[in-house]
Amino acid sequence: MSFALSPARPLRLPPVLAAVAVLAVLALPLAQGGDGESGAGPADAVSALVVLYAALRAVRERRRPLSATAAVVLGMPVVGLAVAAMGAASPGAGLTGLGRYLQVFVLVPAAVVLLVRDRADFRLLAWSFVGLAGWQGAVGVHQYLTGTGASYQGELIRAVGTFGPQDVMGMATVVSFGLVCALGLALGRTPVRQRVAAGACALGLLLPLAVSFSRGAWIATVLTCAVQLVLAGLRRALKVAAVAAAAGVVLVGGFGIGTAMLQERLSSIGQVTDAPDQSVVDRYTLWAAATGMWRQHPVTGVGLKNFPAYRDGHASLALSSGSDTEGAGAAFRKQPLLSPHDMYLLVLSEQGLLGLLALAGSWLALLVCGLRGLWRARGGAGLDCALVGCGLLIWQLVDFAYADIGGPSTVLTAVVFGVVAWWALVGAERAG
């Protein structure tokens, strides 16, 4: 009697794990740069490999990689970028700026669209955002409790995770993305255990977001979560709002999170015109400088990466020499202000109306397609994916009013736009 041994079936890992690898690299401690403008890091190198891997898979499978709609929507920013690159101060600066924008808004998003096969892959990527947020948030809370974070009003208590004080918004961005993903997963139609776990993660991420002292992240997260709750249904919105309010009472009363500094930071959101601090003054001055550049070069802007060169010619004397950064393992450093800290004004000043209309047009198309798919998915199995995809885009569009691309966490924005693009251009078409 003989037994035929069947050949072992090879283990095939989902292609989306390549995108997850980018998030995994961002969990590692980062070396702090000294020039105030971070260059390419390990996560950027991994993202380049992800783009190459996605392209090779598309060639090997001999299929059209993107639909005509996806190609147009994702390719819209290229025209404005190419024109602005020609206006850069040097060919090297033009190529560097062009490569960065293409990475964040075109190449990596397209690669993620190609690597995500279905809703299961989408949910895996969303949970990866939650996991990264949990890790960075845990590091940030430890920094706050032990006084080993970045400097804030003379105390080393600002939670920055592994990103360090020179990318002070990094941890807040990661935690916000994770919270938006967790809330979207919790509001879906998946099994109860998964929804409970996602809800618990969302509540747990409130603490590190609070001690990040990031006003822009707070505003974007509150607005996005409110929109997600409304889109999920009024009854659910009221239930989750009650739970969130109870969690806030516990955090403030039970754990003493409502410190004087945190309360002062919250109240400062409404004091930007009465008694603004220096950071707000700098921000308004940079915004005015960006607007002045656009007025002189309304169509094509001053050229990619030319904002620092034109800044002093358009900024008032109220602008400080830079922001002070120290703590979280880094020595004191004066970090120069090299951008207006507003993505829309950065694009407007460097790329003009042509660049802004191209980029904003791409984002608006993603938002319209995503919301249309969400409407079709209401009551269906894809509601969680719709809430995650639309929520991430809404958060990013709101946050762009207070921040722009730059620093190690920028590659995460590229993956986010890939997640958004998959839902808007692929997943939404399958909803129903």
Side-chain angles (χ1 to χ4, degrees), residues 144 152 157-160 168-169 171-173 175-176 207-215 217-218 262 265:
Y144 172 79
Y152 177 74
I157 59 171
R158 187 167 190 174
V160 293
V168 74
M169 285 289 296
M171 189 215 75
T173 300
V175 170
S176 298
L207 177 55
L209 181 61
V211 296
S212 70
F213 294 98
S214 174
R215 292 172 293 198
W218 291 347
L262 185 55
R265 190 68 165 175

Side-chain angles (χ1 to χ4, degrees), residues 34-374:
D35 56 0
E37 186 177 9
S38 301
D44 296 291
V46 174
S47 73
L49 294 177
V50 169
V51 172
L52 179 61
Y53 172 60
L56 291 176
R57 286 191 77 252
V59 171
R60 186 183 63 185
E61 295 177 0
R62 298 180 181 179
R63 62 182 177 89
R64 191 162 121 186
L66 297 172
S67 66
T69 302
V72 170
V73 171
L74 292 176
M76 284 177 63
V78 175
V79 176
L81 290 171
V83 173
M86 291 188 291
S90 65
L95 288 175
T96 301
L98 178 63
R100 189 60 154 171
Y101 275 96
L102 290 178
Q103 173 203 20
V104 177
F105 300 115
V106 180
L107 297 178
V108 173
V112 174
V113 171
L114 294 175
L115 296 176
V116 176
R117 300 169 301 180
D118 50 31
R119 292 172 184 168
D121 284 355
F122 185 96
R123 293 184 180 106
L124 174 60
L125 195 50
W127 276 109
S128 300
F129 274 98
V130 177
L132 176 63
W135 163 247
Q136 290 288 354
V139 175
V141 171
H142 179 267
Q143 292 170 335
Y144 172 79
L145 295 176
T146 60
T148 56
S151 177
Y152 177 74
Q153 294 189 359
E155 296 188 39
L156 303 180
I157 59 171
R158 187 167 190 174
V160 293
T162 64
F163 293 98
Q166 293 175 352
D167 188 12
V168 74
M169 285 289 296
M171 189 215 75
T173 300
V174 170
V175 170
S176 298
F177 285 152
L179 199 157
V180 170
C181 287
L183 183 59
L185 292 168
L187 294 173
R189 306 289 180 182
T190 52
V192 175
R193 283 189 297 179
Q194 295 183 29
R195 282 183 280 156
V196 171
C201 290
L203 291 175
L205 291 173
L206 291 175
L207 177 55
L209 181 61
V211 296
S212 70
F213 294 98
S214 174
R215 292 172 293 198
W218 291 347
I219 294 172
T221 303
V222 169
L223 291 177
T224 301
C225 291
V227 172
Q228 284 180 300
L229 290 171
V230 171
L231 292 175
L234 184 58
R235 183 176 299 179
R236 278 185 165 189
L238 294 175
K239 290 180 180 179
V240 176
V243 174
V249 171
V250 172
L251 287 176
V252 173
F255 295 99
I257 301 304
T259 62
M261 286 186 177
L262 185 55
Q263 293 174 1
E264 179 184 349
R265 190 68 165 175
L266 281 169
S267 62
S268 69
I269 294 176
Q271 297 174 350
V272 293
T273 57
D274 297 333
D277 56 32
Q278 185 59 47
S279 66
V280 175
V281 172
D282 287 340
R283 190 178 299 268
Y284 282 172
T285 305
L286 291 169
W287 288 359
T291 305
M293 295 177 202
W294 169 68
R295 288 198 184 101
Q296 287 191 355
H297 306 270
V299 179
T300 58
V302 299
L304 289 183
K305 300 185 75 66
N306 273 352
F307 181 89
Y310 284 79
R311 181 198 63 189
D312 293 341
H314 293 83
S316 68
L317 295 177
L319 183 66
S320 67
S321 59
S323 58
D324 299 338
T325 63
E326 66 175 324
F332 175 83
R333 193 181 306 278
K334 179 74 73 172
Q335 188 167 349
L337 303 173
L338 302 177
S339 72
H341 298 288
D342 181 303
M343 190 65 201
Y344 305 106
L345 290 178
L346 176 62
V347 174
L348 191 64
S349 62
E350 292 190 343
Q351 303 178 41
L353 280 175
L354 179 63
L356 182 61
L357 290 176
L359 264 175
S362 175
W363 300 339
L364 180 61
L366 291 176
L367 183 60
V368 170
C369 293
L371 290 175
R372 184 181 61 183
L374 187 148

